[in-house]
Amino acid sequence: MSKFLQWTDEISVGVEELDEQHKLLISIINDLHDAMQTRRSNDVMQGIMDRLTEYTRIHFAVEESLMRILGYPGYEEHKQQHEELIHSVMDLSKKLKFGKANVSFALMHFLKSWLTKHIMESDKQYTDHFLSAGAHARLKKRSWIASLWQ
Ligand SMILES: [Fe+2]
């Protein structure tokens, strides 16, 4: 069965480590979708939302560090977007916790575009700068993400 949100080359940012991190966020969103479809408890859903919040924070911190290290000129604007994105996912998480929202198709579609729109419209803009500043497109070592898949 195909997944709710599929990683494809189309959303690749051309830097493997960051693609791996995006794949992890996608898999957490898919976990939430699966939990919704199999009518899992609120606790399970909240646990997945907490995981999404946690890894989003980590991923944004990594991207922002790279932007500072590699002198990306769009840093401030991108960081601002990250703040808005983390804010909206935390807000959602809070609403679920206090019974003010349910995991629904509308919410799932919100998360889908929350992530893909940012990757397509903002993340892809840093690729050329990162690569010309010396970032490696391909991983030379296994990503730390790999240890999370077991
Ligand atoms: Fe980003």
Side-chain angles (χ1 to χ4, degrees):
M1 203 180 86
S2 71
K3 289 281 179 191
F4 170 68
L5 184 47
Q6 199 89 39
W7 190 89
T8 60
D9 280 346
E10 208 194 330
I11 59 169
S12 170
V13 296
V15 180
E16 199 178 353
E17 174 73 38
L18 297 170
D19 281 344
E20 289 302 313
Q21 295 179 14
H22 287 149
K23 285 178 194 171
L24 175 68
L25 297 178
I26 284 173
S27 88
I28 300 172
I29 292 175
N30 283 331
D31 285 350
L32 189 64
H33 185 259
D34 290 349
M36 176 188 79
Q37 292 216 304
T38 53
R39 298 172 185 278
R40 302 295 299 273
S41 69
N42 259 5
D43 278 359
V44 171
M45 310 267 200
Q46 278 166 27
I48 300 170
M49 278 304 288
D50 287 345
R51 209 149 48 89
L52 183 62
T53 310
E54 184 188 350
Y55 286 117
T56 299
R57 271 189 193 291
I58 294 170
H59 167 63
F60 285 174
V62 170
E63 268 190 5
E64 288 165 20
S65 295
L66 279 171
M67 287 177 196
R68 289 189 299 271
I69 291 165
L70 302 173
Y72 180 57
Y75 171 75
E76 301 291 346
E77 201 186 326
H78 203 115
K79 187 173 164 48
Q80 178 69 35
Q81 265 201 38
H82 281 172
E83 270 156 29
E84 285 162 18
L85 289 166
I86 196 80
H87 197 274
S88 65
V89 86
M90 280 172 65
D91 201 49
L92 211 56
S93 204
K94 215 179 282 171
K95 281 184 181 150
L96 289 175
K97 218 158 269 181
F98 294 106
K100 294 199 167 128
N102 289 311
V103 177
S104 60
F105 281 105
L107 186 143
M108 290 314 308
H109 281 280
F110 167 80
L111 288 176
K112 190 179 198 168
S113 67
W114 170 85
L115 182 63
T116 51
K117 205 166 173 289
H118 178 69
I119 296 174
M120 295 294 284
E121 294 174 10
S122 302
D123 288 347
K124 275 170 174 273
Q125 288 182 26
Y126 58 56
T127 307
D128 288 348
H129 182 90
F130 279 13
L131 294 178
S132 64
H136 291 287
R138 308 288 302 171
L139 286 170
K140 296 204 184 327
K141 307 271 186 209
R142 213 156 163 253
S143 169
W144 59 273
I145 296 289
S147 62
L148 299 169
W149 295 117
Q150 283 129 34

